[in-house]
């Protein structure tokens, strides 16, 4: 009998004028007037499913054989490795990190192996030399497997890490170095696939039409998750069920379409900051993953007509309750330029009761007998109330429980919301020309062949003045 899962819920009451006032809120009439734009955005996404850079829409349905291979390979890694290290950056790192944080023990790497039942997990998503050196200080290379992830095989950060690690492994293991590295890359194009074939590496393929920020539900994210013992079939089922829930162009039933329409209207009202605020440490890094998805997809200079539009909403990550003590003052009393999205959990996976012991101090003892579960949930709703009372737009996504299925639903919700929002804004949500400019400048500065013109451009830029250096 198939396991039955509960679905996540999207509550947007506090986006509406009824709750936050007519000046800042969105009226029912304004939302209704979005119908034609929402229908058109839905039609655009539907038309392009599985084509171009929207190959990710079909990932919940077309990976049966891939999943089988992933599970078999992950079983071997789990049996033999003490540590599993992802070499990647951007979407190749943020997705695996977010799912690891969400679905593994919050102290996973500190647990004894008999309780972990999986290798320790590290993601090297930067090229700080001190970071790489510190990683090498703690690894037992005899018992470590590396997963190098880059679709193009030309990502400077990832490939520099690969070159360092492969050099160390070859010096130590010779031809057996290949037993310590698994590649995830394009099946035909780019440098890494050529290197992987030359070195005889086990390789997983990133499907066509799947950009980095949409890649968590292909081998980029599924393989690390499987190594950690996460139920990747339930993750994909959550994605599929959310996708099916969003098949109709009806804002009364399609949560991702409604969320996109509301954010579009909020942007029209000058709400240029989107705060993602989960109230559980397990989803802390989901906010990091969302920030890349939203920023890189929607921050564009030109629309599809070639017109200068400079659109986008700046995503900010926040953590409840922690950031009530660092950011919420700004959210409740600062500029009216933000939308706060809470992520709440109905049932935490553990319950901790608050002890007695301070009966002579009523301002402390009132906590006794309650649970941390009650406290964190109460603080979330209290913050929601404070924002709403101060006429600040906010909405809430509620997970019945944090599990592989609900995390899959949440990620597909955000990916579809992003696609719909891009269509509403009239921009290409799947390219990143601003990122490419920085990459090209880096290649030029490091002397990569073919980038001589860019190097000359850099050399000819105005020199900095000492007058502005203190």
């Amino acid at each position: 009998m198939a396991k039955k899962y509960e679905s996540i819920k999207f509550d947007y009451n506090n986006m509406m004028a009824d709750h936050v006032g007519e000046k800042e809120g969105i009226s029912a009439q304004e939302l209704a007037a979005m119908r034609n734009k929402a229908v058109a955005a839905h039609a655009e996404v539907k038309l392009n499913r599985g084509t171009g850079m929207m190959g990710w829409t079909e990932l919940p349905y077309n990976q049966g054989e891939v999943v089988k291979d992933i599970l078999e390979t992950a079983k071997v890694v789990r049996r033999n490795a003490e540590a599993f290290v992802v070499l990647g950056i951007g979407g190749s790192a943020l997705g695996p990190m977010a799912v690891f944080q969400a679905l593994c023990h919050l102290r996973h790497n500190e647990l004894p192996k008999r309780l972990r039942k999986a290798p320790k997990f590290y993601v090297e998503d930067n090229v700080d030399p001190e970071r790489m050196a510190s990683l090498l200080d703690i690894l037992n290379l005899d018992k470590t497997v590396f997963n190098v992830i880059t679709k193009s095989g030309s990502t400077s950060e990832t490939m520099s890490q690969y070159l360092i690690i492969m050099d160390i492994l070859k010096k130590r293991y010779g031809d057996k170095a290949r037993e310590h590295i698994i590649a995830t890359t394009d099946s035909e194009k780019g440098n890494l696939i050529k290197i992987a074939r030359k070195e005889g590496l086990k390789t997983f393929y990133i499907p066509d039409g799947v950009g980095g920020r949409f890649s968590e539900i292909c081998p980029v994210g599924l393989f690390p998750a499987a190594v950690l013992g996460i139920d990747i079939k339930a993750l994909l089922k959550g994605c599929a069920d959310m996708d099916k829930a969003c098949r109709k162009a009806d804002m009364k039933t399609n949560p991702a379409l409604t969320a996109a329409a509301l954010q579009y209207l909020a942007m029209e009202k000058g709400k240029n900051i989107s705060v993602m605020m989960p109230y559980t440490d397990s989803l802390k890094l989901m906010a990091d993953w969302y920030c890349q998805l939203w920023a890189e997809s929607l921050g564009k200079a030109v629309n599809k007509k070639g017109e200068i539009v400079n659109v986008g909403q700046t995503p900010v990550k926040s953590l409840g309750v922690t950031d009530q003590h660092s950011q919420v003052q700004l959210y409740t009393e600062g500029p009216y330029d933000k939308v706060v999205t809470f992520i709440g959990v109905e049932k935490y996976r553990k319950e901790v009761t608050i002890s007695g012991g301070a009966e002579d101090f009523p301002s402390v003892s009132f906590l006794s007998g309650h649970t941390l579960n009650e406290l964190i949930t109460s603080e979330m709703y209290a913050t929601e109330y404070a924002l709403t009372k101060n006429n600040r737009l906010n909405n809430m996504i509620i997970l019945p429980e944090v599990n592989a299925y609900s995390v899959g639903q949440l990620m597909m919700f955000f990916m579809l919301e992003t696609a719909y929002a891009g269509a509403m804004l009239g921009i290409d949500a799947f390219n990143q020309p601003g990122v490419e400019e920085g990459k090209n400048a880096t290649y030029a500065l490091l002397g990569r062949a073919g980038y001589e013109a860019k190097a000359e451009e850099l050399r000819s830029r105005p020199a900095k003045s000492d007058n502005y250096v203190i």
Side-chain angles (χ1 to χ4, degrees):
M1 185 175 174
K3 186 173 180 179
K4 197 170 183 180
Y5 296 98
E6 292 183 65
S7 295
I8 68 174
K9 300 171 188 173
F10 175 54
D11 178 352
Y12 58 94
N13 273 277
N14 298 330
M15 298 291 286
M16 306 304 291
D18 313 43
H19 292 270
V20 293
E22 292 183 6
K23 183 178 179 183
E24 302 298 331
I26 296 165
S27 69
Q29 292 77 16
E30 287 175 309
L31 185 58
M34 275 292 294
R35 182 182 180 280
N36 289 343
K37 187 175 284 289
V39 169
H42 186 275
E44 181 179 325
V45 171
K46 182 179 179 180
L47 178 66
N48 293 305
R49 285 182 66 98
T51 66
M53 289 308 296
M54 287 194 63
W56 55 272
T57 58
E58 305 313 302
L59 292 175
Y61 311 104
N62 63 8
Q63 296 188 97
E65 288 302 311
V66 176
V67 166
K68 183 179 178 182
D69 187 12
I70 285 172
L71 292 173
E72 290 173 353
T73 307
K75 186 177 180 181
V76 175
V77 173
R78 235 181 7 260
R79 184 170 62 241
N80 297 327
E82 291 179 357
F84 182 77
V85 182
V86 166
L87 306 177
I89 199 165
S92 300
L94 288 168
M97 290 164 63
V99 170
F100 164 64
Q101 176 87 0
L103 299 175
C104 290
H105 192 285
L106 290 176
R107 316 285 181 187
H108 175 88
N109 284 0
E110 284 72 47
L111 288 173
K113 189 170 183 179
R114 64 182 176 80
L115 295 178
R116 266 190 286 117
K117 298 179 182 178
K120 293 181 179 180
F121 185 61
Y122 304 95
V123 179
E124 291 305 290
D125 66 335
N126 209 345
V127 289
D128 183 330
E130 295 181 20
R131 179 171 177 161
M132 175 59 75
S134 69
L135 176 71
L136 294 171
D137 284 341
I138 65 169
L139 292 179
N140 173 5
L141 291 178
D142 293 348
K143 293 286 188 178
T144 299
V145 173
F146 297 87
N147 182 198
V148 54
I149 308 173
T150 164
K151 188 169 187 177
S152 68
S154 61
T155 306
S156 298
E157 299 88 351
T158 304
M159 294 312 295
S160 65
Q161 293 174 339
Y162 166 80
L163 291 170
I164 293 165
I165 296 299
M166 184 55 106
D167 180 59
I168 293 170
L169 293 176
K170 282 188 172 182
K171 286 175 179 174
R172 183 171 296 198
Y173 305 112
D175 290 342
K176 290 190 175 181
R178 68 171 66 96
E179 297 174 7
H180 294 265
I181 292 193
I182 294 168
T184 305
T185 189
D186 191 273
S187 61
E188 298 295 335
K189 301 186 292 290
N191 298 313
L192 184 54
I193 186 60
K194 296 171 187 174
I195 293 170
R197 286 171 178 161
K198 178 184 175 184
E199 299 291 349
L201 304 181
K202 168 66 181 176
T203 306
F204 290 106
Y205 302 121
I206 303 172
D208 290 338
V210 179
R213 55 193 180 273
F214 294 89
S215 66
E216 174 56 23
I217 56 172
C218 78
V220 168
L222 295 180
F223 178 55
V227 168
L228 292 163
I230 291 167
D231 186 348
I232 61 174
K233 291 183 178 179
L235 186 79
L236 289 171
K237 178 171 173 49
C239 291
D241 286 355
M242 177 54 67
D243 180 55
K244 291 170 185 173
C246 297
R247 286 290 174 94
K248 292 183 178 179
D250 182 358
M251 286 192 288
K252 292 182 179 178
T253 61
N254 184 329
L257 187 63
T258 304
L262 290 165
Q263 290 287 17
Y264 178 90
L265 287 168
M267 284 184 254
E268 291 277 289
K269 290 175 175 284
K271 319 300 183 188
N272 294 319
I273 298 172
S274 171
V275 179
M276 186 57 57
M277 196 169 189
Y279 268 73
T280 168
D281 277 59
S282 65
L283 296 178
K284 177 180 180 179
L285 296 185
M286 198 60 66
D288 292 58
W289 172 81
Y290 164 83
C291 282
Q292 185 203 10
L293 179 70
W294 200 246
E296 210 165 71
S297 298
L298 302 186
K300 300 295 161 63
V302 300
N303 61 20
K304 290 180 179 178
K305 297 177 182 178
E307 300 164 335
I308 301 294
V309 289
N310 296 116
V311 296
Q313 193 183 42
T314 301
V316 172
K317 54 189 178 183
S318 188
L319 177 66
V321 167
T322 301
D323 288 318
Q324 287 178 210
H325 297 268
S326 66
Q327 296 178 24
V328 166
Q329 171 63 35
L330 173 67
Y331 301 164
T332 54
E333 295 191 0
Y336 289 86
D337 59 356
K338 301 170 192 69
V339 177
V340 177
T341 299
F342 297 102
I343 304 180
V345 179
E346 288 181 344
K347 181 183 178 184
Y348 290 84
R349 292 169 291 194
K350 298 290 181 180
E351 183 173 290
V352 176
T353 300
I354 301 170
S355 306
E359 286 75 16
D360 294 337
F361 304 92
S363 59
V364 175
S365 63
F366 81 96
L367 294 166
S368 299
H370 291 288
T371 64
L372 291 183
N373 310 55
E374 292 177 276
L375 180 59
I376 194 170
T377 301
S378 295
E379 294 215 39
M380 179 181 70
Y381 284 112
T383 303
E384 178 199 38
Y385 172 74
L387 289 173
T388 305
K389 182 179 179 181
N390 283 278
N391 311 118
R392 312 296 169 136
L393 296 189
N394 65 90
N395 58 84
M396 186 176 294
I397 300 168
I398 305 163
L399 278 65
E401 183 180 85
V402 178
N403 54 40
Y405 178 84
S406 64
V407 167
Q409 280 204 313
L410 184 66
M411 297 186 97
M412 183 57 80
F413 172 91
F414 284 137
M415 288 189 285
L416 287 170
E417 179 191 15
T418 301
Y420 293 141
M424 291 174 190
L425 290 166
I427 51 97
D428 183 346
F430 308 105
N431 65 358
Q432 51 275 337
V435 176
E436 298 306 318
E437 177 64 25
K439 285 183 180 180
N440 293 338
T442 300
Y443 298 152
L445 288 168
L446 292 174
R448 179 176 169 181
Y451 289 81
E452 291 80 9
K454 180 61 67 175
E456 180 57 35
E457 179 187 320
L458 288 164
R459 282 192 293 271
S460 64
R461 70 192 187 276
K464 290 187 176 181
S465 170
D466 289 341
N467 294 330
Y468 303 126
V469 180
I470 300 173

